[in-house]
Each structure stands twice: as structure tokens, then as C-alpha cells.
Amino acid sequence: MNYEMNVPYWERGVRVTIGLILLALIWVGPSTWWGLFGLLPLATGLAGWCPVYYVLGINRRR
């Protein structure tokens, strides 16, 4: 399998920001475990590779 980056830089920043906001829900706000869903956008944003894009054959990087 070839795991080349398929997420553009601007989208990586958006994913990391959303992931951090969701993770903050664990400590601030409603204090629910739903904030753990923030790990997915955080991980894909940091890695620059999205498994859903890979399966669908999408590469948003130019």
C-alpha cells in the first residue's frame, strides 16, 4: 500500500483545529467522552493522510 499524503495543507490545519476543539470537550464544557472523537481529525490532520479519501480514490493535494 502506498500511503502518500492526500490531504491539502489548509485542510490539515482545519482538521487539527477541529480535533483539538473536540478533545477540549473532555475537560471544558459538557465534560463528555464524545470529545474523544477529536482524535480522528487530529490524527488525519497531523499525518496528512485520510483513509476515507484513500478508499474512495480521492487525492485533494495537487
Side-chain angles (χ1 to χ4, degrees), residues 13-52:
V14 171
R15 288 175 184 242
V16 168
T17 303
I18 290 173
L20 291 174
I21 290 171
L22 289 174
L23 280 174
L25 291 177
I26 294 173
W27 296 281
V28 180
S31 297
T32 68
W33 289 101
W34 285 101
L36 288 178
F37 282 111
L39 290 174
L40 183 62
L42 182 64
T44 58
L46 291 174
W49 183 78
C50 178
V52 175

